[in-house]
Amino acid sequence: MAHFLFCSLDAALIGDIAWQVAEEGHDVRYYIEADSDQEIADGFVPKTDDWRGDLDWADVVIFDDIWVGSDIGTGEIAQELRAEGHAVVGGTPNTDALEEDRGYAMEVLEDHGVNTIEHHVFEDFDAGIKHVQENPAPYVIKPLGEVQNVKRLLYVGNEDDGSDIVDVLKAYKKAWGHRMKGFQLQRKVEGVEIAICGFFNGQEFIEPINFNFEHKKLFPGNIGPSTGEMGTSMFWAGRNELFAETLGKVEGWLADEGYVGSIDINCIVNEDGIYPLEFTPRFGYPTITLQEESFESETGQFFLDLANGRDPGLEVHRGYQIAVRVVLPPFPFDDEATYDENSRNAAVVFESDSREGIHIEDAKRVDGQWRVAGESGMPLVVTGKGETMQAARAQAYERIDDILIPNRYYRDDIGERWVDGDGDRLQAWGYLGPQA
């Protein structure tokens, strides 16, 4: 048995993994900084209100996100703790910057021989508008700095002359000019969107490698406002071409940084090449939940080995996996009155005794009753596995049918893109190696 200290210094995101590790018999303590999230994971995981006081107790410290404040992120804290001799899953200031500063991320990729899409960073809206007018094409607007977490501000252009991008930038200048201090314009590329994700132990990527497909829009068919994520589908494989041409090329840089944890790079892939879009130098959500569900090795031992620079010898489910986020009003928006009326403290009722594939996000357990917690309206993630993507989908949605929460909603098409042709295209283009 090992001692695990889980730390949420921004939003509470790692409760489910803490719960799974505790269920394996390890001694777990979970610290949550945000006042609004204090009750998340109550009844599932033992809590602490002094994470620094527990450092000497802990065998492993695990951070779930990179954001703390404008001057410091968890990467800086993790780096300091490693220097003091603690085993830590977390980043560094430079790896935090991969997400915070997209221009810097592209520079790192280019410096290591990774192909990138044409991109330009602007601090002035008028300069960005002028660039599009002088170089008409479809673009993607990606906000930088603090507002990049406002997912609805990411805009993917549709017009070949860039006229919709110009209109959106003019609107953003009026509505967000006081907060959006910069943005990246990235040339739009058509193809299959896929994220290559690896676990790094401070020295190298461990195998197998994870390949996942994000579903960021609120509604089926990939329409509606952007969310953090409505669901994920995935599989595991070896160091194929997708890995070799992306994460594989920055493996040495990550070793020099001493990075420990999950890192993924989201890409557009077509018959002409692999084009990175952005890094996630931390756990993804609900990606980590689905990854943990597909572990056939013990989760706690995996993180203990990872944080101490060892190869955990990870065994995973052979086949396909999907995760579906079950949400409540007003997700993905902030509206306290709507949340209070429709969602706060709502009961989660199960029609069967099984909890297989049921994972918590913003949930708590009170006298044995599962209830909604927090402020975000994201109580559960439901997963499924199978030898085919269709089988994984069927299992996940059967499990959702056994859950009753008033006013719940979710996407019913997670994994369909693979079935509808993404898998065939990636195979035809020669990017997929043998599965794990």
Side-chain angles (χ1 to χ4, degrees), residues 101-287:
D101 184 343
R102 289 189 170 102
Y104 171 73
M106 291 297 139
E107 289 176 9
V108 170
L109 289 172
E110 290 165 354
D111 287 347
H112 291 84
V114 180
N115 290 328
T116 60
I117 302 171
E118 179 190 339
H119 57 277
H120 303 274
V121 173
F122 298 92
E123 295 181 356
D124 179 78
F125 284 94
D126 291 334
I129 291 168
K130 182 179 179 182
H131 175 82
V132 175
Q133 291 172 333
E134 293 178 350
N135 302 274
Y139 291 89
V140 180
I141 303 172
K142 295 187 173 185
L144 304 178
E146 61 167 325
V147 297
Q148 69 178 299
N149 283 342
V150 183
K151 301 299 182 183
R152 63 184 180 274
L153 294 180
L154 185 145
Y155 179 77
V156 180
N158 295 305
E159 301 299 330
D160 289 340
D161 63 358
S163 57
D164 57 336
I165 294 291
V166 170
D167 290 341
V168 171
L169 286 176
K170 289 179 179 178
Y172 282 1
K173 180 181 178 180
K174 283 186 176 181
W176 289 90
H178 62 296
R179 287 186 60 194
M180 190 186 294
K181 304 306 181 183
F183 57 92
Q184 182 187 86
L185 286 180
Q186 193 173 73
R187 186 69 70 97
K188 183 180 176 182
V189 175
E190 299 291 345
V192 174
E193 186 172 352
I194 182 172
I196 300 97
C197 181
F199 287 97
F200 200 83
N201 69 359
Q203 304 166 53
E204 62 184 355
F205 283 105
I206 65 156
E207 294 189 62
I209 307 301
N210 182 261
F211 299 86
N212 60 80
F213 304 85
E214 301 173 346
H215 299 67
K216 293 183 178 180
K217 296 291 188 177
L218 181 61
F219 299 119
N222 218 36
I223 59 176
S226 291
T227 70
E229 181 115 16
M230 287 301 290
T232 306
S233 59
M234 67 174 57
F235 64 90
W236 301 79
R239 291 179 172 235
N240 57 24
E241 184 178 355
L242 287 171
F243 172 84
E245 294 300 317
T246 55
L247 288 181
K249 290 192 173 184
V250 297
E251 191 165 19
W253 183 81
L254 289 169
D256 291 340
E257 285 292 313
Y259 183 83
V260 178
S262 168
I263 183 168
D264 91 6
I265 185 165
N266 199 29
C267 301
I268 290 289
V269 176
N270 58 34
E271 59 187 336
D272 297 320
I274 303 165
Y275 304 98
L277 301 176
E278 59 192 8
F279 279 102
T280 303
R282 53 173 173 79
F283 298 126
Y285 304 97
T287 305

Side-chain angles (χ1 to χ4, degrees), residues 184-420:
Q184 182 187 86
L185 286 180
Q186 193 173 73
R187 186 69 70 97
K188 183 180 176 182
V189 175
E190 299 291 345
V192 174
E193 186 172 352
I194 182 172
I196 300 97
C197 181
F199 287 97
F200 200 83
N201 69 359
Q203 304 166 53
E204 62 184 355
F205 283 105
I206 65 156
E207 294 189 62
I209 307 301
N210 182 261
F211 299 86
N212 60 80
F213 304 85
E214 301 173 346
H215 299 67
K216 293 183 178 180
K217 296 291 188 177
L218 181 61
F219 299 119
N222 218 36
I223 59 176
S226 291
T227 70
E229 181 115 16
M230 287 301 290
T232 306
S233 59
M234 67 174 57
F235 64 90
W236 301 79
R239 291 179 172 235
N240 57 24
E241 184 178 355
L242 287 171
F243 172 84
E245 294 300 317
T246 55
L247 288 181
K249 290 192 173 184
V250 297
E251 191 165 19
W253 183 81
L254 289 169
D256 291 340
E257 285 292 313
Y259 183 83
V260 178
S262 168
I263 183 168
D264 91 6
I265 185 165
N266 199 29
C267 301
I268 290 289
V269 176
N270 58 34
E271 59 187 336
D272 297 320
I274 303 165
Y275 304 98
L277 301 176
E278 59 192 8
F279 279 102
T280 303
R282 53 173 173 79
F283 298 126
Y285 304 97
T287 305
I288 183 58
T289 300
L290 183 55
Q291 289 169 332
E292 189 280 328
E293 174 72 15
S294 63
F295 286 3
E296 295 184 350
S297 307
E298 188 191 71
T299 302
Q301 188 63 47
F302 170 80
F303 284 117
L304 183 64
D305 288 337
L306 194 77
N308 283 282
R310 299 188 291 264
D311 184 345
L314 180 63
E315 297 291 334
V316 298
H317 171 258
R318 297 175 63 90
Y320 299 88
Q321 306 88 35
I322 81 160
V324 183
R325 182 171 262 160
V326 178
V327 299
L328 297 170
F331 182 87
F333 304 106
D334 296 323
D335 184 335
E336 186 174 356
T338 298
Y339 183 77
D340 287 344
E341 181 177 349
N342 295 280
S343 307
R344 187 177 299 280
N345 211 37
V348 180
V349 178
F350 298 95
E351 292 193 322
S352 72
D353 293 332
S354 174
R355 301 295 180 268
E356 289 293 319
I358 311 300
H359 300 264
I360 62 169
E361 284 200 300
D362 295 352
K364 61 185 176 181
R365 187 163 52 191
V366 181
D367 297 329
Q369 172 69 61
W370 290 35
R371 306 192 79 88
V372 175
E375 305 282 343
S376 300
M378 303 184 302
L380 299 178
V381 172
V382 181
T383 62
K385 299 180 289 188
E387 292 186 3
T388 65
M389 194 70 82
Q390 284 284 39
R393 281 175 41 76
Q395 185 180 73
Y397 287 110
E398 285 171 6
R399 289 168 170 171
I400 290 175
D401 286 343
D402 285 338
I403 302 169
L404 300 178
I405 313 175
N407 303 312
R408 70 173 188 175
Y409 47 101
Y410 57 89
R411 278 183 59 164
D412 63 3
D413 64 342
I414 307 300
E416 277 189 359
R417 293 205 312 261
W418 178 269
V419 178
D420 290 343

Side-chain angles (χ1 to χ4, degrees), residues 10-36:
D10 192 8
L13 299 170
I14 201 67
D16 184 74
I17 301 302
W19 177 37
Q20 299 303 320
V21 172
E23 288 288 291
E24 292 172 353
H26 296 286
D27 200 349
V28 169
R29 296 178 187 175
Y30 184 24
Y31 174 82
I32 299 173
E33 179 82 20
D35 290 340
S36 61

